[in-house]
Amino acid sequence: MSKKIGVIIFPGSNCDHDAYHAMKSVMGAETEFLWHKESDLSGIDLLLIPGGFSYGDYLRSGAIARFSPIMNAVVDFAKKGGPVMGICNGFQILLEAGLLPGAMLHNEKLRFICKDVHVRVERSDSIFTSRLSKGDVLRLPVSHGEGNYFIDDAGLDSLKQNDQVLFRYTDAEGKITEDSNINGSVDSIAGIVNRQGNVLGMMPHPERAMEKTLGSEDGKVLFESLFSELQIA
Amino acid sequence: MYKAKVNITLRKSILDPKGKAANHALQNLGLTAVDDVRIGKFIEIDIDAESEEKAHEVAEASCKQLLANEVMEDYSITIEEYSPELK
């Protein structure tokens, strides 16, 4: 049986079709949309929680989406080791749901940031980066107002000890500079995984960097890694 | 009926960029006596409970489970008695 990818849609998601296109058309995988009111994830092998402004970012980004009916199933899926990838608002939702540690503050300089940035790959032994090497630099678009990752000192120590930081914002050479940390994130963190390594949250949008005609295909390698690890398509 | 008034602010240790920007603007207006500004959220919740204590419990649970994210925010609650017909 072929593997299936689920893309969750919340009211206010707006990268759901980007994610669907990336999976279905670019990667050629069987893909389906999952409305947030669904609660059955049977048959799904990989879950994508796309970006956007679920519930208008009311209260805090991701705070209300986290109580959508589908999230109980997502938590079960993740706890059983199912691979989950939360991008941008998806990352914020995973934080609010407690599947990943930390929280998102408004960007330090308060501006909504919409541009291509560089991130450095910090691990190549995760299912999301197995086709990359530690230190590789990817050029990926970001588009967020609340991407300033926050975690307290004890939490940061624990992230480091368990090697959970997957991406950091850097310059094009992979160096962390004063300007490279675009939003003020603690320790320049752009993406983290849970301890088990099956849940990834990241602010940059790999699903929008899949085709050269759209500026960059650096995002594709993440899905190629995942697909080869999960033996999809 | 009770009315819970909830104040949510970023934890003291966290830089509040909105507060900082407002502080700068106030300085520019010549209000140099302003020392610091913190911006948060104010939420009113009407609660149908039999006692002030019970109302506080409901407000507390609301904050913990949804309204505040304790990773980055602190909250405080005050409870007042209130009659809906006197709105």
Side-chain angles (χ1 to χ4, degrees):
Chain A
M1 229 175 75
S2 68
K3 303 269 178 131
K4 202 191 279 174
I5 297 168
V7 176
I8 301 177
I9 307 176
F10 295 96
S13 295
N14 69 6
C15 301
D16 40 341
H17 281 268
D18 301 49
Y20 186 88
H21 171 77
M23 295 302 98
K24 180 95 172 177
S25 310
V26 184
M27 298 300 293
E30 195 184 333
T31 308
E32 70 173 65
F33 284 124
L34 299 163
W35 182 234
H36 74 114
K37 291 206 165 156
E38 289 183 37
S39 54
D40 181 14
L41 297 179
S42 52
I44 298 294
D45 300 287
L46 164 65
L47 265 182
L48 295 190
I49 309 184
F53 298 86
S54 55
Y55 295 91
D57 276 355
Y58 296 158
L59 201 60
R60 299 178 303 276
S61 45
I64 311 229
R66 169 246 187 290
F67 293 102
S68 273
I70 201 167
M71 285 309 293
N72 285 330
V74 173
V75 171
D76 283 347
F77 182 84
K79 295 254 147 96
K80 283 181 195 144
V84 180
M85 192 167 172
I87 300 165
C88 198
N89 190 222
F91 185 8
Q92 294 160 340
I93 294 168
L94 291 173
L95 292 171
E96 285 285 342
L99 285 171
L100 292 171
M104 282 297 172
L105 297 165
H106 279 274
N107 294 343
E108 196 173 42
K109 288 182 182 152
L110 292 173
R111 288 207 179 96
F112 189 95
I113 306 169
C114 185
K115 62 175 185 182
D116 281 4
V117 300
H118 294 96
V119 295
R120 186 176 71 202
V121 177
E122 305 290 42
R123 279 178 63 180
S124 61
D125 60 345
S126 90
I127 54 172
F128 304 96
T129 52
S130 59
R131 296 246 174 134
L132 287 156
S133 303
K134 191 176 166 170
D136 282 353
V137 177
L138 305 175
R139 184 183 167 93
L140 299 172
V142 293
S143 177
H144 61 248
E146 292 176 48
N148 177 356
Y149 180 74
F150 172 77
I151 192 161
D152 61 18
D153 291 343
L156 181 62
D157 284 347
S158 156
L159 274 185
K160 285 181 178 165
Q161 263 165 29
N162 295 295
D163 215 7
Q164 287 175 254
V165 180
L166 207 54
F167 302 110
R168 284 195 170 87
Y169 300 108
T170 63
D171 65 11
E173 276 75 51
K175 291 201 180 65
I176 291 174
T177 68
E178 210 172 301
D179 295 330
S180 69
N181 189 2
I182 51 164
N183 50 27
S185 291
V186 164
D187 210 20
S188 291
I189 288 173
I192 55 170
V193 289
N194 63 345
R195 276 195 200 194
Q196 295 71 28
N198 61 309
V199 178
L200 164 68
M202 63 189 294
M203 287 315 289
H205 287 271
E207 87 288 9
R208 291 191 192 169
M210 301 290 287
E211 293 152 292
K212 273 223 171 84
T213 45
L214 294 177
S216 166
E217 54 181 3
D218 283 7
K220 206 173 166 186
V221 66
L222 299 186
F223 297 104
E224 287 167 349
S225 300
L226 255 182
F227 278 38
S228 105
E229 295 294 320
L230 304 172
Q231 295 166 339
I232 299 175
Chain B
M1 288 283 275
Y2 293 89
K3 190 177 280 294
K5 297 188 169 179
V6 178
N7 270 303
I8 299 173
T9 48
L10 282 176
R11 272 168 46 185
K12 288 270 183 302
S13 58
I14 296 176
L15 175 76
D16 171 12
K18 286 184 188 171
K20 208 173 146 196
N23 190 1
H24 274 299
L26 292 170
Q27 303 297 326
N28 290 341
L29 286 170
L31 298 166
T32 50
V34 172
D35 185 42
D36 190 27
V37 180
R38 307 282 289 174
I39 295 181
K41 296 183 191 115
F42 174 70
I43 301 172
E44 283 187 345
I45 319 169
D46 295 351
I47 302 171
D48 188 2
E50 53 206 50
S51 67
E52 191 173 324
E53 203 174 47
K54 286 263 187 284
H56 196 280
E57 278 172 27
V58 172
E60 181 86 26
S62 306
C63 287
K64 275 203 182 315
Q65 290 171 43
L66 175 69
L67 300 177
N69 180 339
E70 291 182 88
V71 175
M72 56 180 178
E73 293 168 330
D74 290 327
Y75 61 87
S76 63
I77 299 167
T78 51
I79 305 279
E80 291 170 7
E81 260 187 79
Y82 119 102
S83 313
E85 60 271 17
L86 297 176
K87 238 189 260 197

